[in-house]
Amino acid sequence: MAGNSVDNTKQSGMGLSLDRRRLLLGLGAAGGAIVSASAARADRCPMAAAGVAASPLPTIDDRQPFHGIHQAGITSSRPPAGLVVAFDVLAKNRSDLQRLMHTLTDRIAFLTEGGAAPVGELDFPPPDSGLLGPVVSPDNLTMTVAVGASLFDDRFGLAGVKPTRLATMHQFPNDALEVDRCHGDLLLQICSNTAETNIHALRDVVKHTPDLLMVRWQQDGFVPAPREPGERKEAPRNMLGFKDGTANPDSSDAALMDRIVWVRQDAGEQPWAAGGTYQVVRIIRNFVERWDRTRLVEQQTIIGRDKYSGAPLTMKAERDVPKYADDPKGNNIPLNAHIRLANPRTAATDANLILRRPFNFSRGVTKAGQLDMGLLFICFQADLDAGFIAVQNRLNGEPLEEYIKPVGGGYFFALPGVPDQHSYLGQSMLEAAGRFDRSEENPSATKKGA
């Protein structure tokens, strides 16, 4: 397999590498000719040639709608900064839980719309942190609320309405899960154009919920900006230096999202869950020092793509689709390559498609003196078992495991959206719990909560 991969790399990777090296040398020698050289490269770019406009630069006035049948931050375009925060819920009963959901709804509606920051009296703490100044700009902010399996214990009488496939994340063979970086009653995914907007939003929520929420763990991340003309912002490079997200399903395809992301009424799920989706978060450390000392040919063989162009091995372009049926022995792309295991592209595995929304992270140095970098992996799917769990089971034992280590995260259910100003987050779940209390399905026939 290694020999074949060497040949494949020579065909697909080394040639491009030489071209790239020549281009870089030319740029360095030319000095002030960088602009013209870039223009020349843009002329060769298929997207530029086709007249595809570059993505507009993000601004603080970018705004994502809060109201809708689905929450924002799932199929909406991924902005440069991401933050996930898991909480323990401190609410004592269902009435308190309902108050929490109302509070989250009000705060998220304001923060995503933007407006003047409230001003308080001198003798009291200021009502806003002031981090964004006198005006809270929307800055493309989305705040997505999800609930964990632990919320459905006996505290709030929700056990009878738990999403069918929601469970506590278990440890896979290559995992080294740290208990203080896993799970949670509630997850808040915060995304925007800037890290300070995410932090401002988090501090706003924490300030307004002192008796209702306590932070359990958090992880922030970033999406690298496009570095080449016409580069798709949906597939930037990860910490391993490879394109990440090339094969992600098209989130603008509503029919496709209805099939693979959103829970439907006819899917054997709790009726209230329709319009929501299962969310998986994984904090995956990358052993970048070891990776950077690994031969290029081995890196490409492990991933299954050319490192520079992003094309599948032996193919020409990043968006080329591998034809695994024509390569049953893995002569072109090894059978255990990451991209082949993750998405074998068969009729049977079409049911395992997931929508990924990952961010890179870098958070200093470990106690062992290693760079603490990696991938904040996030994905959404209508069926947790058929989605992430099936994909991860195929990846168990892959060669890439030598260079990565999942250390945290959890499984959650992203609530359905808030359709209008008269509704609130989690409303369908809490109303279903009330109906369950009064139904014959409730074995205890005990009215819990308020």
Side-chain angles (χ1 to χ4, degrees):
M1 182 179 298
N4 290 331
S5 299
V6 170
D7 293 336
N8 296 338
T9 303
K10 285 180 178 178
Q11 293 173 22
S12 65
M14 297 305 290
L16 290 176
S17 177
L18 290 173
D19 289 343
R20 184 172 184 274
R21 187 176 299 115
R22 292 191 187 100
L23 174 62
L24 292 173
L25 289 172
L27 288 174
I34 288 177
V35 173
S36 58
S38 298
R41 185 169 56 177
D43 289 341
R44 296 198 299 271
C45 171
M47 295 185 70
V52 177
S55 300
L57 294 175
T59 75
I60 60 174
D61 296 323
D62 293 343
R63 183 178 286 106
Q64 295 289 331
F66 171 67
H67 293 107
I69 60 173
H70 309 300
Q71 289 194 75
I74 298 172
T75 59
S76 49
S77 182
R78 181 180 44 165
L83 170 66
V84 292
V85 188
F87 296 89
D88 293 327
V89 171
L90 304 179
K92 301 297 184 185
N93 52 47
R94 195 182 298 166
S95 291
D96 278 351
L97 183 60
Q98 186 179 39
R99 177 163 60 89
L100 168 62
M101 292 300 176
H102 274 293
T103 302
L104 289 175
T105 303
D106 293 343
R107 297 319 305 162
I108 295 172
F110 168 72
L111 293 166
T112 54
E113 177 64 23
V119 178
E121 301 294 335
L122 291 175
D123 292 335
F124 294 92
D128 185 85
S129 66
L131 184 59
L132 301 183
V135 176
V136 178
S137 302
D139 203 19
N140 209 19
L141 176 70
T142 62
M143 302 176 71
T144 311
V145 178
V147 293
S150 56
L151 191 74
F152 297 87
D153 57 17
D154 58 1
R155 286 173 292 169
F156 310 110
L158 299 177
V161 297
K162 186 167 75 72
T164 304
R165 296 168 179 83
L166 185 59
T168 301
M169 185 177 71
H170 67 276
Q171 183 153 304
F172 290 91
N174 189 46
D175 291 359
L177 300 180
E178 301 169 6
V179 65
D180 57 352
R181 297 167 73 181
C182 290
H183 318 309
D185 294 331
L186 186 142
L187 185 84
L188 197 54
Q189 175 196 275
I190 308 173
C191 303
S192 73
N193 290 336
T194 56
E196 57 266 33
T197 292
N198 291 350
I199 295 171
H200 174 267
L202 171 61
R203 288 174 60 176
D204 185 280
V205 167
V206 169
K207 180 179 179 64
H208 285 84
T209 57
D211 62 328
L212 298 172
L213 290 177
M214 183 172 70
V215 173
R216 182 181 178 92
W217 57 267
Q218 75 168 62
Q219 178 63 60
D220 59 359
F222 61 93
V223 177
R227 303 183 68 85
E228 299 179 45
E231 185 177 53
R232 296 173 66 250
K233 65 177 182 180
E234 293 84 359
R237 295 184 185 274
N238 56 29
M239 284 297 187
L240 301 180
F242 279 78
K243 296 270 190 176
D244 195 328
T246 300
N248 214 22
D250 181 1
S251 62
S252 67
D253 186 334
L256 181 62
M257 296 299 101
D258 283 342
R259 180 168 68 85
I260 69 172
V261 172
W262 306 120
V263 167
R264 302 185 302 271
Q265 289 279 4
D266 59 352
E269 276 286 355
Q270 295 284 345
W272 71 263
T277 179
Y278 288 92
Q279 182 175 14
V280 173
V281 177
R282 302 268 284 174
I283 302 171
I284 305 173
R285 276 201 61 206
N286 293 170
F287 302 136
V288 293
E289 293 95 339
R290 183 184 304 170
W291 182 257
D292 289 343
R293 297 184 184 109
T294 299
R295 293 183 306 152
L296 174 61
V297 62
E298 188 172 347
Q299 291 186 7
Q300 295 186 151
T301 301
I302 290 172
I303 299 297
R305 289 188 182 276
D306 181 278
K307 187 164 189 173
Y308 300 109
S309 70
L313 292 179
T314 72
M315 306 189 82
K316 295 181 178 178
E318 177 187 352
R319 302 287 288 172
D320 287 348
V321 178
K323 297 178 180 178
Y324 297 133
D326 297 337
D327 181 31
K329 296 183 179 179
N331 292 325
N332 297 329
I333 298 179
L335 301 178
N336 59 0
H338 180 79
I339 65 167
R340 189 163 186 166
L341 291 172
N343 185 2
R345 299 180 183 274
T346 67
T349 58
D350 187 60
N352 307 138
L353 292 177
I354 58 178
L355 181 66
R356 301 169 75 257
R357 192 181 177 86
F359 296 86
N360 293 339
F361 73 78
S362 176
R363 54 183 183 187
V365 182
T366 69
K367 293 180 180 178
Q370 296 177 317
L371 297 174
D372 192 358
M373 298 179 175
L375 187 71
L376 173 59
F377 175 90
I378 301 171
C379 74
F380 298 94
Q381 56 265 282
D383 186 326
L384 181 59
D385 297 321
F388 170 78
I389 293 176
V391 173
Q392 182 56 53
N393 282 332
R394 281 201 301 267
L395 291 170
N396 287 339
E398 64 170 328
L400 184 60
E401 286 186 346
E402 183 180 347
Y403 303 92
I404 63 173
K405 183 65 68 178
V407 297
Y411 297 158
F412 302 90
F413 186 81
L415 298 169
V418 180
D420 53 51
Q421 296 178 340
H422 306 292
S423 307
Y424 62 92
L425 285 160
Q427 183 173 356
S428 61
M429 175 184 70
L430 294 172
E431 290 178 348
R435 290 191 296 272
F436 182 81
D437 286 343
R438 299 186 294 274
S439 72
E440 296 179 355
E441 298 177 49
N442 182 4
S444 63
T446 299
K447 307 271 189 311
K448 296 183 178 181

